[in-house]
Amino acid sequence: MPDDPQTLYQSVCQQAVDIARLESAEALLGWDELTKMPAAGAEHRAEQMKLLSGIIHQRWTNPRLAEQLAILAESPLVAEPHADTAVNIRRLKRKVDRLTKLPQSLVEELAQTASLGQHVWRKARAEDDFAAFRPVLEKTFSLKRQQADAFGYDECRYDALLDDYEPDERTANVGRVLAELRERLVPLVAAIAQSERRPNSALLQQEFPIERQQRFGRRLSAAIGFDYSRGRLDETAHPFCTGLGPNDCRITTRYDARSFGSALFGTLHESGHGIYDQGTPTEHYGLPLGETISLGIHESQSRLWENLIGRSRPFWQCFYGEVQEAFPEALAQTPFEEFFFAINEVRPSLIRVEADEATYNLHILVRFELEQALLDDDLPVADLPGAWREKYAHYLGIEPPSDTDGVLQDVHWSAGMVGYFPTYALGNLYAAQFFAQADADLGGLEPMLARGEFHPLREWLRENIHRHGQRYSAAELVERVTGKPLSSAALIEHLRAKLGPLYGA
Ligand code: ZN
């Protein structure tokens, strides 16, 4: 006799939670590899990871699970689309369907090429040798075309890949919003570049002893609400955040004794990711209702704390005195205005990860346009470096002198991550929209921030965003919370309001 839907649902949920526990073991090994593991442990770690990821893939693609989800998808449990059962069934089914659409041979080839690609890319970048990277990049895009075709799509190939990072979002919609953003941003950045006012950015490149940076970074991340009783902060070469379980979130940062901002803003950024992770409902751990929605929404939470709060005037009105006390040699004599202008400097630059709040999105636009052209075979890989330089000249008014500082700077394409870049810009857009709405709902955030009261904003984020897990898609959520669809208006308004007075632009 077939199980009744409720019993079947319980069984499916139990399988999903078990897989989540396996995945968190894999994530813990990954965290350890990047923070603690001696280099000599790499080979054994790679074997452990391979074994675990194979077991996880087997569990997800178990035909019985797909059958059970197919039955549930036709059951009364999905009648109300935003009910707990319907959300979990729909999201799990979608995940399993995508995983089972790819032939095993393609999965293996993608994994091998990604591993080889990163290896070749690292060497090519160090030696400024795009020609050495070209063959593996050609292979990567050819495999990504096959992957997109295996997933299937309605409008364009890129949709099929974007879906891995930003479920339900469409290339055409992202393209429209980013084009709007570009139209308003390029003139703003150009006006700033022509302004006679310049911050004294050298004041942020003095000696900032690392132990004091560590203390201050922890102090600020705890103040904004990263819960250290359910999380940790460690050091890595490339900062990241990883949720290892319902009450275990790990964030990392890196320190540079000659930089005020690199660790501090990085810590605020990762804390924002961590606060989102810690805000998802623990009772739904391992199920879609207990998981974050998309990379774009994740990035909105990190950018909100890093930029909208962490580079705001009221935030530093609250903390600048403490900074001066922590770093008296560097900042005791520096007036507030000079410091505030320096942390908000806008300067078109070549490297995405070092870009400021305003020009950052132009770096994304370049990559978003180029990877679509590569995927559609409209741009041969051989012509990529030239196309890259052209777009940088056009959007940012500068041209990289080398491919190392140009097309070879990011790891993403070498690792097969195509469709990932736009989520960074989506994060910036969503962050500004959410912030504007929170400001309106809470009756003006400025005085609260100036008093160091972050609790109301954090609760607002928890109530409106974090606690829903994957109940709504990113597009549904932003409409629900702000009453408006994804748009560039809030971000442009925020940048103009802050940068206009600083630069007289
Ligand atoms: Zn991030």
Side-chain angles (χ1 to χ4, degrees), residues 269 273 299 302:
H269 180 100
H273 282 304
E299 195 67 5
S302 58

Side-chain angles (χ1 to χ4, degrees), residues 86-214:
V87 172
N88 284 336
I89 292 167
R90 186 171 64 245
R91 295 273 160 190
L92 285 172
K93 182 170 189 307
R94 182 194 158 96
K95 174 158 192 173
V96 167
D97 286 350
R98 269 176 85 79
L99 284 168
T100 45
K101 271 180 184 169
L102 299 183
Q104 188 61 31
S105 57
L106 181 60
V107 172
E108 282 166 15
E109 229 187 330
L110 277 162
Q112 270 170 6
T113 309
S115 154
L116 174 72
Q118 289 172 77
H119 179 75
V120 174
W121 164 76
R122 224 160 258 129
K123 193 159 179 290
R125 184 173 75 154
E127 294 169 5
D128 188 25
D129 184 1
F130 182 78
F133 181 49
R134 188 180 130 187
V136 73
L137 189 60
E138 277 166 349
K139 175 149 192 219
T140 299
F141 272 91
S142 151
L143 291 172
K144 295 309 281 187
R145 267 175 228 125
Q146 292 174 43
Q147 188 188 28
D149 293 348
F151 283 146
Y153 49 84
D154 294 330
E155 289 170 17
C156 67
R157 256 192 190 138
Y158 192 88
D159 279 348
L161 301 184
L162 178 64
D163 210 81
D164 265 343
Y165 310 108
E166 204 59 30
D168 300 317
E169 188 53 88
R170 289 301 170 95
T171 311
N173 186 48
V174 176
R176 183 183 54 76
V177 175
L178 291 189
E180 242 174 57
L181 179 67
R182 181 190 64 207
E183 259 164 54
R184 297 178 196 169
L185 202 51
V186 169
L188 178 65
V189 168
I192 287 172
Q194 273 156 29
S195 164
E196 310 224 305
R197 296 189 204 165
R198 288 269 178 280
N200 171 18
S201 45
L203 73 90
L204 302 178
Q205 289 140 28
Q206 307 178 71
E207 198 62 30
F208 296 95
I210 286 178
E211 324 78 71
R212 284 186 259 160
Q213 287 196 43
Q214 287 169 330

Side-chain angles (χ1 to χ4, degrees), residues 239-241 269-270 273 295 298-300 302-303 306 420 424:
F240 64 91
C241 166
H269 180 100
E270 299 308 330
H273 282 304
L295 291 190
H298 228 307
E299 195 67 5
S300 79
S302 58
R303 291 299 195 178
E306 177 194 358
Y420 191 112
Y424 294 119

Side-chain angles (χ1 to χ4, degrees), residues 153-363:
Y153 49 84
D154 294 330
E155 289 170 17
C156 67
R157 256 192 190 138
Y158 192 88
D159 279 348
L161 301 184
L162 178 64
D163 210 81
D164 265 343
Y165 310 108
E166 204 59 30
D168 300 317
E169 188 53 88
R170 289 301 170 95
T171 311
N173 186 48
V174 176
R176 183 183 54 76
V177 175
L178 291 189
E180 242 174 57
L181 179 67
R182 181 190 64 207
E183 259 164 54
R184 297 178 196 169
L185 202 51
V186 169
L188 178 65
V189 168
I192 287 172
Q194 273 156 29
S195 164
E196 310 224 305
R197 296 189 204 165
R198 288 269 178 280
N200 171 18
S201 45
L203 73 90
L204 302 178
Q205 289 140 28
Q206 307 178 71
E207 198 62 30
F208 296 95
I210 286 178
E211 324 78 71
R212 284 186 259 160
Q213 287 196 43
Q214 287 169 330
R215 222 174 309 135
F216 195 67
R218 279 181 81 90
R219 148 102 177 100
L220 288 193
S221 77
I224 66 170
F226 182 75
D227 180 353
Y228 278 94
S229 74
R230 303 166 59 216
R232 282 183 61 88
L233 169 64
D234 291 87
E235 267 185 73
T236 41
H238 301 282
F240 64 91
C241 166
T242 183
L244 297 181
N247 292 302
D248 186 351
C249 176
R250 311 286 173 97
I251 58 174
T252 70
T253 195
R254 63 176 158 207
Y255 297 96
D256 173 354
R258 301 283 307 170
S259 165
F260 172 78
S262 139
L264 182 72
F265 291 110
T267 302
L268 288 175
H269 180 100
E270 299 308 330
S271 298
H273 282 304
I275 290 168
Y276 181 18
D277 193 78
Q278 292 181 329
T280 53
T282 50
E283 66 272 26
H284 295 302
Y285 171 72
L287 296 172
L289 279 174
E291 281 164 16
T292 58
I293 301 164
S294 71
L295 291 190
I297 296 293
H298 228 307
E299 195 67 5
S300 79
Q301 301 306 292
S302 58
R303 291 299 195 178
L304 188 134
W305 290 106
E306 177 194 358
N307 286 336
L308 281 294
I309 309 289
R311 292 181 203 272
S312 73
R313 185 176 285 278
F315 183 82
W316 288 108
Q317 281 165 345
C318 177
F319 289 110
Y320 189 53
E322 275 186 48
V323 175
Q324 287 182 305
E325 267 171 46
F327 306 105
E329 304 87 342
L331 294 173
Q333 305 305 320
T334 306
F336 175 84
E337 283 303 323
E338 210 177 304
F339 168 81
F340 182 65
F341 196 5
I343 61 166
N344 281 295
E345 179 177 32
V346 172
R347 191 163 43 89
S349 63
L350 294 170
I351 306 296
R352 176 184 62 86
V353 296
E354 292 163 10
D356 58 74
E357 197 181 353
T359 59
Y360 187 91
N361 298 296
L362 298 172
H363 292 259

